[in-house]
Amino acid sequence: MITNQIFTKEFQFIHNWTIGLISNLDNVGWNVTPSAVATNIHWIAGHILHDNYWHAIACVDQPSRKFQNVLEISRFKKYFEKDSDPLAYKDERPTREIILDSLSICNKEVLRIVKNITEEEFQQQTLIPNPVAKTKYESLSFAIKHQMWHNGQIAMIKRIINKK
């Protein structure tokens, strides 16, 4: 199996897992913020979206015009970028439904890019300087690991919610 086939399977797997964890919670569940973790599913889901755009699209290839026309990723930055406050802007953030739709749109674009990348391109430098990755391969690999880590947070928050 070649690298882009492995990444395609991994990105589809992690996307399905994330959606399975978050789609059955209502708006109230999305905004529960346990004091022990000081974050919530609403912020984590938006952060995953923002991070996947950054590491799996912007650092690897130019997004398609179709993607750019459908999803204006810049509107998510203020709310969900690294080091943003999970408790800030609660009433301004894109809604649960917008984030769920946007995660699926972003995943389709990631899969398009990953399916078309060559083995040689994986070793090329990222298109944008990246603090955690020098190559496109490393950037894609980090995106998957990062999302897995946040899925663990989501699962922990759901356990807390279900005990209430």
Side-chain angles (χ1 to χ4, degrees):
M1 189 174 289
I2 58 176
T3 308
N4 64 348
Q5 292 172 329
I6 294 168
F7 273 126
T8 298
K9 283 186 172 191
E10 290 295 310
F11 274 107
Q12 192 57 59
F13 172 82
I14 194 64
H15 173 74
N16 291 342
W17 188 2
T18 301
I19 296 301
L21 285 168
I22 65 177
S23 63
N24 63 352
L25 286 170
D26 61 14
N27 287 326
V28 172
W30 265 50
N31 288 296
V32 170
T33 306
S35 60
V37 292
T39 193
N40 52 65
I41 292 169
H42 194 159
W43 184 86
I44 295 169
H47 179 68
I48 288 170
L49 169 65
H50 185 269
D51 184 78
N52 278 348
Y53 172 77
W54 172 257
H55 289 287
I57 297 173
C59 284
V60 178
D61 198 2
Q62 293 295 318
S64 68
R65 289 221 186 275
K66 180 180 178 184
F67 174 80
Q68 291 175 358
N69 290 337
V70 173
L71 186 65
E72 185 186 335
I73 196 68
S74 62
R75 70 184 171 147
F76 296 93
K77 183 177 180 178
K78 171 182 173 180
Y79 309 110
F80 305 117
E81 72 182 332
K82 181 182 180 280
D83 297 327
S84 61
D85 183 354
L87 303 177
Y89 308 112
K90 279 187 162 185
D91 297 330
E92 295 177 35
R93 290 182 192 161
T95 65
R96 173 188 172 279
E97 292 74 22
I98 289 172
I99 292 173
L100 286 169
D101 288 345
S102 299
L103 281 165
S104 292
I105 292 165
C106 188
N107 187 61
K108 287 177 186 168
E109 184 70 1
V110 170
L111 293 176
R112 181 195 68 78
I113 288 170
V114 169
K115 285 177 183 177
N116 291 314
I117 196 168
T118 67
E119 289 295 317
E120 296 77 32
E121 288 174 301
F122 280 112
Q123 299 314 313
Q124 291 176 356
Q125 185 176 352
T126 58
L127 298 178
I128 299 169
N130 185 320
V132 298
K134 289 185 179 16
T135 66
K136 294 177 181 183
Y137 177 93
E138 291 170 351
S139 193
L140 290 163
S141 179
F142 179 80
I144 293 168
K145 293 169 187 168
H146 179 265
Q147 189 166 345
M148 289 286 269
W149 184 73
H150 282 299
N151 277 357
Q153 286 183 313
I154 293 167
M156 180 177 54
I157 292 169
K158 283 183 72 171
R159 289 181 79 185
I160 293 168
I161 291 169
N162 290 333
K163 288 189 179 196
K164 288 185 175 188

